[in-house]
Amino acid sequence: MTAATAASASLAASREEWLGKAQTLSEALPYMRRYAGQTFVVKYGGHAMGDERLGEMFARDIVLLKQVGINPVVVHGGGPQIGQMLDRLKIKSEFIDGLRVTDKETVEIVEMVLSGSINKQLVQLINDQGGQAIGLSGKDGELIEAKKVMRTKRDPDSNIERVLDLGFVGDPYKVNPGMIRRIQDAGLIPVIAPIGFGPNGETFNINADTAAGAVAAAVGAKRLLLLTDVAGVLNKEKALIPELSVEQAKACIADGTASGGMIPKIETCIQAVEHGVDASVILDGRVPHAILMEIFTEGGAGTLIGHK
């Protein structure tokens, strides 16, 4: 093959690639029109947070949503990073029902990691990709008021229930949507750490999925997207279920199709939909551009839970 022939073949291949990208953009146009002006709440966490390449792709996708007229709101987690800091400081912690028991010393570390290093790293990632993000926690502007989480456990021998004290772990009680709307009206992208405040000025650690669901309901989001470490809700044959009604999602929990950590994610999605969110989606944050695939393609990328 001569140099001229090789150059011609390379140009032809490039044109095919460009044509494919143009076709993708053309197919995305109806979705851009449909969702223009709508708010999408995205919970970002899991293993994707520790992957620099995936983090940059995530930030670029969030900026793209803003550029096409969608208003993204990011709520992030940080469990692994909190665990690493606690280990470094030789502070022991335990989990009950998937929630970290958080005493006064631990909640100070949790707030430092979530509202400090992780939040600002994510803000910088988005800004580096051309966006304008602003970081805040649920304590800023009285964004998320929380109440103490209470759990009970029944002793299998005596059948007596006892109350478990999780410390400064909270559930969202009230979200201030006006705070988020003012940030959006200024053309900024809110990046929220799941730290709330209590009625007596306490600081509460809030599960990031739960916080994202409460924020989505409060702002009347079109979509709640929970980025996780699995493809979505799987059936008993371990195949992805693309779509579920609220009733079907509840049945997945009741019949054991969903188990373990997937149950609270489904419950968060159901609660969001029942409180006004158009639909919630559980999708794999480890897949590059999973958000764009979910929003701008017919097939989506995860499991959508909504009203059929």
Side-chain angles (χ1 to χ4, degrees), residues 1-303:
M1 180 183 293
T2 66
T5 304
S8 177
S10 177
L11 180 59
S14 295
R15 284 175 174 166
E16 284 295 323
E17 183 181 353
W18 299 334
L19 179 61
K21 291 180 178 179
Q23 182 69 25
T24 300
L25 287 172
S26 176
E27 292 173 355
L29 181 59
Y31 299 98
M32 294 179 184
R33 288 175 173 166
R34 181 188 305 173
Y35 298 133
Q38 300 288 346
T39 294
F40 280 54
V41 175
V42 183
K43 184 266 180 172
Y44 180 56
H47 294 304
M49 291 188 69
D51 187 310
E52 184 176 345
R53 183 181 64 91
L54 287 176
E56 290 176 356
M57 287 184 180
F58 170 81
R60 190 177 306 159
D61 291 349
I62 292 296
V63 173
L64 177 60
L65 295 186
K66 189 69 173 178
Q67 289 295 317
V68 301
I70 294 171
N71 294 313
V73 177
V74 178
V75 180
H76 65 82
Q81 293 88 338
I82 292 169
Q84 291 168 10
M85 181 60 73
L86 291 173
D87 288 343
R88 189 185 306 173
L89 297 174
K90 294 181 170 43
I91 299 174
K92 293 183 179 181
S93 63
E94 62 175 318
F95 288 85
I96 296 177
D97 294 337
L99 297 174
R100 187 188 301 275
V101 177
T102 309
D103 59 18
K104 187 172 180 58
E105 182 181 25
T106 303
V107 79
E108 291 176 356
I109 304 302
V110 169
E111 182 173 21
M112 178 183 72
V113 174
L114 290 178
S115 302
S117 58
I118 294 178
N119 189 268
K120 302 316 170 192
Q121 287 169 8
L122 191 47
V123 165
Q124 190 62 55
L125 274 176
I126 294 172
N127 291 345
D128 287 345
Q129 296 301 323
Q132 286 188 304
I134 182 167
L136 62 161
S137 80
K139 294 169 71 174
D140 295 312
E142 297 187 331
L143 177 59
I144 304 177
E145 183 176 351
K147 58 182 179 181
K148 183 180 176 69
V149 168
M150 301 300 296
R151 289 285 188 273
T152 60
K153 187 173 184 178
R154 186 178 298 276
D155 186 284
D157 297 323
S158 65
N159 205 33
I160 296 175
E161 280 192 342
R162 62 186 181 91
V163 176
L164 303 176
D165 188 357
L166 300 177
F168 294 93
V169 176
D171 270 337
Y173 173 68
K174 187 186 300 182
V175 176
N176 178 4
M179 180 70 177
I180 295 174
R181 293 194 184 105
R182 286 191 290 273
I183 293 171
Q184 291 176 325
D185 290 344
L188 302 173
I189 299 170
V191 179
I192 303 169
I195 295 292
F197 69 95
N200 299 311
E202 311 98 314
T203 297
F204 283 114
N205 177 24
I206 303 172
N207 175 273
D209 289 342
T210 306
V215 168
V219 300
K222 184 71 172 178
R223 288 284 188 275
L224 166 65
L225 305 178
L226 297 184
L227 300 188
T228 183
D229 300 332
V230 295
V233 183
L234 307 180
N235 63 24
K236 293 183 178 179
E237 287 71 43
K238 303 304 179 185
L240 177 68
I241 303 174
E243 188 172 352
L244 291 166
S245 68
V246 167
E247 291 72 22
Q248 289 170 332
K250 290 178 179 178
C252 281
I253 296 174
D255 67 14
T257 300
S259 60
M262 183 55 67
I263 292 176
K265 292 183 184 299
I266 294 175
E267 290 175 339
T268 293
C269 290
I270 291 171
Q271 290 171 7
V273 171
E274 290 181 336
H275 286 83
V277 176
D278 189 63
S280 300
V281 185
I282 301 170
L283 65 162
D284 194 342
R286 301 168 300 179
V287 175
H289 306 302
I291 294 174
L292 302 186
M293 290 170 60
E294 173 58 38
I295 297 173
F296 297 129
T297 67
E298 185 65 31
T303 299

